[in-house]
Coordinates of all heavy atoms in Angstrom, one line a residue:
M1 N -22.3 -0.6 25.8 CA -21.4 0.4 25.4 C -20.0 0.0 25.7 O -19.1 0.2 24.9 CB -21.7 1.8 26.1 CG -20.8 2.9 25.7 SD -21.0 4.4 26.6 CE -20.0 4.1 28.0
I2 N -19.8 -0.6 26.8 CA -18.4 -1.0 27.2 C -17.9 -2.1 26.2 O -16.7 -2.0 25.8 CB -18.4 -1.6 28.7 CG1 -18.8 -0.5 29.6 CG2 -17.1 -2.3 29.0 CD1 -19.0 -0.9 31.0
L3 N -18.7 -3.0 25.8 CA -18.3 -4.0 24.9 C -18.0 -3.4 23.5 O -17.0 -3.8 22.9 CB -19.4 -5.1 24.7 CG -19.2 -6.3 23.8 CD1 -18.0 -7.1 24.4 CD2 -20.4 -7.1 23.7
R4 N -18.8 -2.5 23.1 CA -18.6 -1.8 21.8 C -17.3 -1.0 21.8 O -16.5 -1.1 20.9 CB -19.8 -0.9 21.5 CG -19.6 -0.1 20.3 CD -20.9 0.8 20.0 NE -21.3 1.6 21.1 CZ -20.8 2.8 21.5 NH1 -19.9 3.3 20.8 NH2 -21.3 3.4 22.5
V5 N -17.0 -0.3 22.9 CA -15.8 0.5 23.0 C -14.6 -0.4 23.1 O -13.6 -0.2 22.4 CB -15.8 1.5 24.2 CG1 -14.5 2.1 24.4 CG2 -16.9 2.5 23.9
F6 N -14.7 -1.5 23.9 CA -13.5 -2.4 24.1 C -13.2 -3.1 22.8 O -12.0 -3.2 22.4 CB -13.8 -3.4 25.2 CG -12.8 -4.5 25.3 CD1 -11.6 -4.2 25.9 CD2 -13.0 -5.7 24.8 CE1 -10.6 -5.1 26.0 CE2 -12.0 -6.7 24.9 CZ -10.8 -6.4 25.5
L7 N -14.2 -3.7 22.1 CA -13.9 -4.4 20.9 C -13.5 -3.5 19.7 O -12.6 -3.9 18.9 CB -15.2 -5.2 20.4 CG -15.6 -6.3 21.3 CD1 -16.9 -7.0 20.9 CD2 -14.5 -7.4 21.4
G8 N -14.0 -2.3 19.6 CA -13.6 -1.4 18.6 C -12.1 -0.9 18.8 O -11.3 -1.0 17.9
L9 N -11.7 -0.6 20.0 CA -10.4 -0.2 20.3 C -9.4 -1.4 20.2 O -8.3 -1.2 19.7 CB -10.3 0.5 21.7 CG -11.0 1.8 21.7 CD1 -10.9 2.4 23.2 CD2 -10.4 2.8 20.7
A10 N -9.8 -2.6 20.6 CA -9.0 -3.8 20.5 C -8.7 -4.1 19.1 O -7.6 -4.5 18.7 CB -9.7 -4.9 21.3
M11 N -9.7 -4.0 18.2 CA -9.5 -4.3 16.8 C -8.6 -3.2 16.2 O -7.7 -3.6 15.4 CB -10.9 -4.2 16.1 CG -10.8 -4.5 14.6 SD -10.2 -6.1 14.2 CE -11.5 -7.1 14.6
C12 N -8.8 -2.0 16.6 CA -7.9 -0.9 16.0 C -6.5 -1.1 16.4 O -5.6 -1.1 15.6 CB -8.5 0.4 16.4 SG -7.5 1.8 15.7
F13 N -6.3 -1.2 17.7 CA -4.9 -1.2 18.2 C -4.3 -2.6 18.1 O -3.0 -2.7 18.0 CB -4.8 -0.7 19.6 CG -5.1 0.7 19.7 CD1 -6.3 1.2 20.3 CD2 -4.2 1.7 19.2 CE1 -6.5 2.5 20.4 CE2 -4.5 3.0 19.3 CZ -5.7 3.4 19.9
G14 N -5.1 -3.7 18.1 CA -4.5 -5.0 18.0 C -4.2 -5.5 16.6 O -3.3 -6.2 16.3
H15 N -5.0 -5.0 15.6 CA -4.9 -5.4 14.2 C -4.6 -4.3 13.3 O -3.7 -4.4 12.4 CB -6.2 -6.1 13.7 CG -6.5 -7.4 14.4 ND1 -6.0 -8.6 14.0 CD2 -7.2 -7.6 15.5 CE1 -6.4 -9.5 14.8 NE2 -7.2 -9.0 15.7
G16 N -5.3 -3.2 13.4 CA -5.3 -2.1 12.4 C -4.1 -1.3 12.4 O -3.6 -0.9 11.3
I17 N -3.5 -0.9 13.6 CA -2.4 0.0 13.6 C -1.2 -0.6 12.9 O -0.4 0.1 12.2 CB -2.1 0.4 15.0 CG1 -3.3 1.2 15.6 CG2 -0.8 1.3 15.1 CD1 -3.6 2.5 14.9
A18 N -0.9 -1.9 13.1 CA 0.2 -2.5 12.4 C 0.1 -2.5 10.9 O 1.0 -2.2 10.2 CB 0.3 -4.0 12.9
K19 N -1.1 -2.7 10.4 CA -1.4 -2.6 9.0 C -1.3 -1.2 8.5 O -0.8 -0.9 7.4 CB -2.8 -3.2 8.6 CG -2.8 -4.7 8.8 CD -4.2 -5.2 8.4 CE -4.2 -6.7 8.5 NZ -4.3 -7.2 9.9
W20 N -1.8 -0.2 9.3 CA -1.7 1.2 8.9 C -0.2 1.6 8.8 O 0.2 2.3 7.8 CB -2.3 2.0 10.0 CG -2.3 3.5 9.9 CD1 -1.2 4.3 10.2 CD2 -3.3 4.3 9.4 NE1 -1.5 5.6 9.9 CE2 -2.8 5.6 9.4 CE3 -4.6 4.1 8.9 CZ2 -3.5 6.7 9.0 CZ3 -5.3 5.2 8.5 CH2 -4.8 6.5 8.5
S21 N 0.6 1.2 9.7 CA 2.0 1.6 9.7 C 2.7 0.9 8.5 O 3.6 1.5 7.9 CB 2.7 1.2 11.0 OG 2.8 -0.2 11.2
S22 N 2.4 -0.3 8.1 CA 3.0 -1.0 7.0 C 2.5 -0.4 5.7 O 3.2 -0.3 4.7 CB 2.7 -2.5 7.0 OG 1.4 -2.8 6.7
L23 N 1.3 0.2 5.7 CA 0.8 0.9 4.5 C 1.5 2.1 4.2 O 1.9 2.5 3.1 CB -0.7 1.1 4.6 CG -1.4 1.8 3.5 CD1 -1.4 1.0 2.2 CD2 -2.9 2.2 3.9
F24 N 1.9 2.9 5.2 CA 2.5 4.2 5.1 C 4.0 4.2 5.4 O 4.6 5.2 5.5 CB 1.8 5.2 6.0 CG 0.4 5.5 5.5 CD1 -0.7 5.1 6.3 CD2 0.2 6.2 4.3 CE1 -2.0 5.3 5.9 CE2 -1.1 6.5 3.9 CZ -2.2 6.0 4.7
S25 N 4.6 3.0 5.5 CA 6.0 2.9 5.8 C 6.9 3.2 4.6 O 8.1 3.6 4.8 CB 6.4 1.5 6.3 OG 6.3 0.6 5.3
G26 N 6.4 3.1 3.4 CA 7.3 3.3 2.2 C 8.0 2.1 1.8 O 8.7 2.1 0.8
E27 N 7.9 1.0 2.5 CA 8.6 -0.2 2.1 C 7.7 -1.0 1.1 O 6.5 -0.6 0.9 CB 8.8 -1.1 3.3 CG 9.8 -0.4 4.3 CD 9.9 -1.3 5.6 OE1 9.3 -2.4 5.7 OE2 10.6 -0.8 6.5
E28 N 8.3 -2.0 0.6 CA 7.5 -2.9 -0.4 C 6.4 -3.5 0.4 O 6.6 -4.1 1.5 CB 8.4 -3.9 -1.0 CG 7.7 -4.8 -2.0 CD 8.6 -5.9 -2.5 OE1 9.8 -5.9 -2.2 OE2 8.0 -6.7 -3.3
I29 N 5.2 -3.5 -0.2 CA 4.0 -4.1 0.5 C 3.9 -5.6 0.2 O 3.9 -6.0 -0.9 CB 2.7 -3.4 0.0 CG1 2.8 -1.9 0.5 CG2 1.5 -4.1 0.5 CD1 1.6 -1.1 0.0
K30 N 3.9 -6.3 1.3 CA 3.7 -7.8 1.3 C 2.4 -8.1 2.1 O 2.5 -8.1 3.3 CB 4.9 -8.5 1.8 CG 6.2 -8.3 1.0 CD 7.3 -8.9 1.6 CE 8.6 -8.6 0.9 NZ 9.8 -9.1 1.5
F31 N 1.4 -8.4 1.4 CA 0.1 -8.6 2.0 C -0.7 -9.6 1.2 O -0.5 -9.7 0.0 CB -0.7 -7.3 2.1 CG -1.9 -7.4 3.0 CD1 -1.8 -7.4 4.4 CD2 -3.2 -7.4 2.5 CE1 -2.8 -7.5 5.2 CE2 -4.3 -7.4 3.3 CZ -4.1 -7.5 4.7
A32 N -1.5 -10.4 1.8 CA -2.3 -11.4 1.2 C -3.3 -10.8 0.2 O -3.8 -9.7 0.4 CB -3.1 -12.3 2.2
D33 N -3.5 -11.5 -0.9 CA -4.4 -11.0 -2.0 C -5.4 -12.1 -2.3 O -5.4 -12.8 -3.3 CB -3.6 -10.7 -3.2 CG -4.4 -10.1 -4.3 OD1 -5.5 -9.6 -4.1 OD2 -4.0 -10.1 -5.5
P34 N -6.4 -12.3 -1.4 CA -7.4 -13.4 -1.5 C -8.4 -13.3 -2.7 O -8.9 -14.3 -3.2 CB -8.1 -13.4 -0.2 CG -8.0 -12.0 0.3 CD -6.7 -11.5 -0.2
F35 N -8.6 -12.0 -3.2 CA -9.6 -11.9 -4.3 C -9.0 -11.5 -5.6 O -9.7 -11.3 -6.6 CB -10.6 -10.8 -3.9 CG -11.4 -11.1 -2.6 CD1 -11.3 -10.4 -1.5 CD2 -12.2 -12.2 -2.6 CE1 -12.0 -10.7 -0.3 CE2 -12.9 -12.6 -1.5 CZ -12.8 -11.8 -0.3
G36 N -7.7 -11.4 -5.7 CA -7.0 -11.1 -6.9 C -7.1 -9.7 -7.4 O -7.0 -9.4 -8.5
V37 N -7.2 -8.7 -6.4 CA -7.3 -7.3 -6.8 C -6.0 -6.6 -6.6 O -5.8 -5.5 -7.0 CB -8.4 -6.6 -6.0 CG1 -9.8 -7.1 -6.3 CG2 -8.1 -6.6 -4.5
G38 N -5.0 -7.3 -6.1 CA -3.7 -6.7 -5.8 C -3.4 -6.6 -4.3 O -4.3 -6.5 -3.5
M39 N -2.1 -6.6 -4.0 CA -1.8 -6.5 -2.6 C -2.1 -5.1 -2.0 O -2.6 -5.1 -0.9 CB -0.3 -6.8 -2.4 CG 0.1 -8.3 -2.6 SD 1.8 -8.6 -2.2 CE 2.5 -8.6 -3.8
L40 N -1.8 -4.1 -2.7 CA -2.1 -2.7 -2.2 C -3.6 -2.5 -2.0 O -4.0 -2.0 -0.9 CB -1.5 -1.6 -3.1 CG -1.8 -0.2 -2.7 CD1 -1.1 0.1 -1.3 CD2 -1.3 0.8 -3.7
P41 N -4.5 -2.8 -2.9 CA -5.9 -2.6 -2.6 C -6.4 -3.5 -1.5 O -7.3 -3.0 -0.7 CB -6.6 -2.9 -4.0 CG -5.6 -2.7 -5.0 CD -4.3 -3.1 -4.3
S42 N -5.9 -4.7 -1.4 CA -6.3 -5.6 -0.3 C -5.9 -5.0 1.0 O -6.7 -5.0 2.0 CB -5.7 -7.0 -0.5 OG -6.2 -7.6 -1.6
L43 N -4.7 -4.4 1.1 CA -4.2 -3.8 2.3 C -5.0 -2.6 2.7 O -5.3 -2.3 3.8 CB -2.7 -3.5 2.2 CG -2.1 -2.9 3.5 CD1 -2.2 -3.7 4.7 CD2 -0.6 -2.5 3.2
V44 N -5.3 -1.8 1.7 CA -6.1 -0.6 1.9 C -7.5 -0.9 2.4 O -8.0 -0.3 3.4 CB -6.2 0.3 0.6 CG1 -7.2 1.4 0.8 CG2 -4.9 0.9 0.2
L45 N -8.1 -1.9 1.9 CA -9.4 -2.4 2.4 C -9.4 -2.9 3.8 O -10.2 -2.6 4.6 CB -10.0 -3.4 1.4 CG -10.5 -2.9 0.1 CD1 -10.8 -4.1 -0.8 CD2 -11.6 -1.9 0.2
A46 N -8.3 -3.6 4.1 CA -8.1 -4.1 5.5 C -7.9 -3.0 6.4 O -8.4 -3.0 7.6 CB -7.0 -5.2 5.5
V47 N -7.1 -2.0 6.0 CA -6.8 -0.9 6.9 C -8.1 -0.1 7.1 O -8.4 0.4 8.2 CB -5.7 0.0 6.3 CG1 -5.7 1.4 7.0 CG2 -4.4 -0.7 6.4
F48 N -8.9 0.1 6.1 CA -10.2 0.8 6.2 C -11.1 0.1 7.2 O -11.6 0.8 8.1 CB -10.9 0.9 4.9 CG -12.3 1.4 5.0 CD1 -12.5 2.7 5.2 CD2 -13.4 0.5 4.8 CE1 -13.8 3.2 5.3 CE2 -14.7 1.0 5.0 CZ -14.9 2.3 5.2
A49 N -11.2 -1.2 7.1 CA -12.0 -1.9 8.0 C -11.5 -1.9 9.4 O -12.2 -1.7 10.4 CB -12.2 -3.4 7.5
E50 N -10.2 -2.2 9.6 CA -9.7 -2.4 10.9 C -9.3 -1.1 11.7 O -9.1 -1.2 12.9 CB -8.5 -3.4 10.9 CG -8.9 -4.8 10.4 CD -7.7 -5.7 10.3 OE1 -6.6 -5.3 10.6 OE2 -7.9 -6.8 9.9
V51 N -9.1 0.0 11.0 CA -8.8 1.2 11.6 C -10.0 2.1 11.6 O -10.6 2.5 12.7 CB -7.6 1.9 11.0 CG1 -7.4 3.3 11.6 CG2 -6.3 1.1 11.2
I52 N -10.5 2.5 10.5 CA -11.6 3.5 10.3 C -12.9 2.9 10.9 O -13.5 3.5 11.8 CB -11.8 3.9 8.9 CG1 -10.5 4.4 8.3 CG2 -12.9 4.9 8.8 CD1 -9.9 5.6 9.0
C53 N -13.3 1.7 10.5 CA -14.5 1.2 10.9 C -14.5 0.8 12.4 O -15.5 0.9 13.1 CB -14.9 0.0 10.1 SG -15.3 0.4 8.4
S54 N -13.3 0.3 12.9 CA -13.3 0.0 14.3 C -13.3 1.2 15.2 O -13.9 1.2 16.3 CB -12.0 -0.8 14.6 OG -10.9 -0.1 14.4
L55 N -12.8 2.4 14.7 CA -12.9 3.6 15.5 C -14.4 4.1 15.4 O -14.9 4.6 16.4 CB -12.0 4.7 14.9 CG -10.5 4.4 15.2 CD1 -9.6 5.5 14.6 CD2 -10.2 4.4 16.7
L56 N -15.0 4.0 14.3 CA -16.4 4.3 14.2 C -17.3 3.5 15.2 O -18.2 4.0 15.9 CB -17.0 4.1 12.8 CG -16.5 5.2 11.8 CD1 -17.0 4.7 10.4 CD2 -17.1 6.5 12.1
L57 N -16.9 2.2 15.3 CA -17.6 1.3 16.2 C -17.4 1.8 17.7 O -18.3 1.9 18.5 CB -17.1 -0.1 16.0 CG -17.7 -1.2 17.0 CD1 -19.1 -1.4 16.8 CD2 -16.9 -2.5 16.9
A58 N -16.1 2.1 18.0 CA -15.8 2.5 19.4 C -16.5 3.8 19.7 O -16.9 4.0 20.9 CB -14.3 2.6 19.5
L59 N -16.6 4.7 18.7 CA -17.3 6.0 19.0 C -18.8 5.9 18.9 O -19.5 6.9 19.3 CB -16.8 7.0 18.0 CG -15.3 7.4 18.1 CD1 -14.9 8.3 16.9 CD2 -15.1 8.1 19.4
G60 N -19.3 4.8 18.4 CA -20.8 4.7 18.3 C -21.4 5.4 17.1 O -22.6 5.6 17.0
L61 N -20.6 5.7 16.1 CA -21.0 6.3 14.9 C -21.2 5.3 13.7 O -20.3 4.6 13.4 CB -20.0 7.4 14.4 CG -19.7 8.5 15.4 CD1 -18.6 9.4 15.0 CD2 -21.0 9.3 15.7
L62 N -22.4 5.3 13.1 CA -22.7 4.4 12.0 C -22.3 3.0 12.4 O -21.7 2.3 11.6 CB -22.0 4.8 10.8 CG -22.3 6.3 10.3 CD1 -21.3 6.6 9.1 CD2 -23.7 6.4 9.8
T63 N -22.7 2.5 13.6 CA -22.2 1.3 14.1 C -22.6 0.1 13.2 O -21.8 -0.8 12.9 CB -22.8 1.1 15.5 OG1 -22.4 2.2 16.3 CG2 -22.3 -0.2 16.1
R64 N -23.8 0.0 12.8 CA -24.3 -1.1 12.0 C -23.6 -1.1 10.6 O -23.2 -2.2 10.1 CB -25.8 -1.1 11.8 CG -26.5 -1.4 13.1 CD -28.0 -1.3 12.9 NE -28.7 -1.5 14.1 CZ -30.0 -1.6 14.3 NH1 -30.7 -1.5 13.2 NH2 -30.5 -1.7 15.5
W65 N -23.4 0.0 10.0 CA -22.7 0.1 8.7 C -21.2 -0.2 8.9 O -20.5 -0.8 8.0 CB -22.9 1.4 8.1 CG -24.3 1.6 7.6 CD1 -25.3 2.3 8.1 CD2 -24.8 1.0 6.4 NE1 -26.4 2.2 7.4 CE2 -26.2 1.4 6.3 CE3 -24.4 0.1 5.4 CZ2 -27.0 1.0 5.3 CZ3 -25.2 -0.3 4.4 CH2 -26.5 0.1 4.4
A66 N -20.6 0.2 10.0 CA -19.2 0.0 10.3 C -18.9 -1.4 10.5 O -17.8 -1.9 10.3 CB -18.7 0.9 11.4
L67 N -19.8 -2.2 11.0 CA -19.6 -3.6 11.3 C -19.5 -4.5 10.1 O -18.9 -5.5 10.1 CB -20.7 -4.1 12.2 CG -20.5 -3.8 13.7 CD1 -21.7 -4.3 14.5 CD2 -19.3 -4.5 14.2
I68 N -20.2 -4.0 9.0 CA -20.2 -4.9 7.8 C -18.7 -5.1 7.2 O -18.3 -6.2 7.0 CB -21.1 -4.3 6.7 CG1 -22.5 -4.3 7.2 CG2 -20.9 -5.0 5.4 CD1 -23.5 -3.6 6.3
P69 N -17.9 -4.0 7.0 CA -16.5 -4.3 6.6 C -15.7 -5.1 7.6 O -14.9 -5.9 7.2 CB -15.9 -2.9 6.4 CG -17.1 -2.0 6.3 CD -18.2 -2.6 7.0
L70 N -16.0 -4.9 8.9 CA -15.2 -5.6 9.9 C -15.6 -7.1 9.9 O -14.7 -8.0 10.0 CB -15.5 -5.1 11.3 CG -14.8 -3.8 11.7 CD1 -15.4 -3.2 12.9 CD2 -13.4 -4.1 11.8
I71 N -16.9 -7.4 9.7 CA -17.3 -8.8 9.6 C -16.7 -9.5 8.4 O -16.2 -10.6 8.5 CB -18.8 -8.9 9.7 CG1 -19.3 -8.5 11.1 CG2 -19.3 -10.3 9.3 CD1 -20.8 -8.3 11.1
V72 N -16.8 -8.8 7.3 CA -16.2 -9.4 6.0 C -14.7 -9.6 6.1 O -14.2 -10.7 5.7 CB -16.6 -8.5 4.8 CG1 -15.8 -8.9 3.6 CG2 -18.1 -8.4 4.6
T73 N -14.0 -8.6 6.7 CA -12.6 -8.8 6.8 C -12.2 -9.9 7.7 O -11.3 -10.7 7.4 CB -12.0 -7.5 7.4 OG1 -12.3 -6.4 6.5 CG2 -10.5 -7.6 7.6
M74 N -12.9 -10.1 8.8 CA -12.6 -11.2 9.8 C -13.0 -12.6 9.2 O -12.3 -13.6 9.4 CB -13.3 -11.0 11.1 CG -12.8 -9.8 11.9 SD -11.0 -10.0 12.3 CE -10.3 -8.8 11.1
F75 N -14.1 -12.6 8.4 CA -14.5 -13.9 7.7 C -13.4 -14.3 6.7 O -13.0 -15.4 6.6 CB -15.8 -13.8 7.0 CG -17.0 -14.2 7.9 CD1 -17.8 -13.3 8.5 CD2 -17.2 -15.6 8.2 CE1 -18.9 -13.7 9.3 CE2 -18.2 -16.0 9.0 CZ -19.1 -15.0 9.6
V76 N -12.9 -13.3 5.9 CA -11.8 -13.6 5.0 C -10.6 -14.0 5.7 O -9.9 -15.0 5.3 CB -11.6 -12.3 4.1 CG1 -10.3 -12.5 3.3 CG2 -12.7 -12.1 3.2
A77 N -10.3 -13.4 6.8 CA -9.1 -13.8 7.5 C -9.2 -15.2 8.1 O -8.2 -16.0 8.0 CB -8.8 -12.8 8.7
V78 N -10.3 -15.5 8.6 CA -10.5 -16.9 9.2 C -10.6 -17.9 8.2 O -10.0 -19.0 8.2 CB -11.7 -16.9 10.2 CG1 -12.0 -18.3 10.6 CG2 -11.4 -16.0 11.4
F79 N -11.5 -17.7 7.2 CA -11.9 -18.8 6.3 C -11.1 -18.9 5.0 O -11.1 -19.9 4.3 CB -13.4 -18.8 6.0 CG -14.2 -19.0 7.2 CD1 -15.0 -18.0 7.7 CD2 -14.2 -20.3 7.8 CE1 -15.8 -18.3 8.8 CE2 -15.0 -20.5 8.9 CZ -15.8 -19.5 9.4
V80 N -10.3 -17.8 4.7 CA -9.5 -17.8 3.4 C -8.0 -17.8 3.7 O -7.3 -18.7 3.2 CB -9.9 -16.6 2.5 CG1 -9.0 -16.6 1.3 CG2 -11.4 -16.7 2.1
I81 N -7.6 -16.9 4.6 CA -6.2 -16.7 4.8 C -5.6 -17.8 5.8 O -4.6 -18.4 5.5 CB -5.9 -15.3 5.4 CG1 -6.4 -14.3 4.5 CG2 -4.4 -15.1 5.7 CD1 -5.8 -14.3 3.1
H82 N -6.3 -18.0 6.9 CA -5.8 -18.9 7.9 C -6.1 -20.4 7.7 O -5.7 -21.2 8.5 CB -6.3 -18.5 9.3 CG -5.7 -17.2 9.7 ND1 -4.3 -17.0 10.0 CD2 -6.2 -16.0 9.9 CE1 -4.1 -15.8 10.3 NE2 -5.2 -15.1 10.3
I83 N -6.8 -20.8 6.7 CA -7.1 -22.2 6.5 C -6.0 -22.8 5.7 O -5.2 -22.5 5.0 CB -8.4 -22.4 5.7 CG1 -9.5 -22.2 6.7 CG2 -8.5 -23.7 5.1 CD1 -10.9 -22.5 6.2

């Protein structure tokens, strides 16, 4: 439980909140578009994974389902964006 709560909150506050604020800031969105769907949909998907799913993980709700978007987002970040 400690690991689940720590990792969920670390993902939310370390990665997700910054993306959340850039999504709702009203400024022009500059975000990577690795799949060609557009910058805004890519940012919305990343915010969903890193804020909503990480909070679900920390709360222990739908944990296995919440991990799927988180895993996909981190794989894209590591193997597509940072390479």
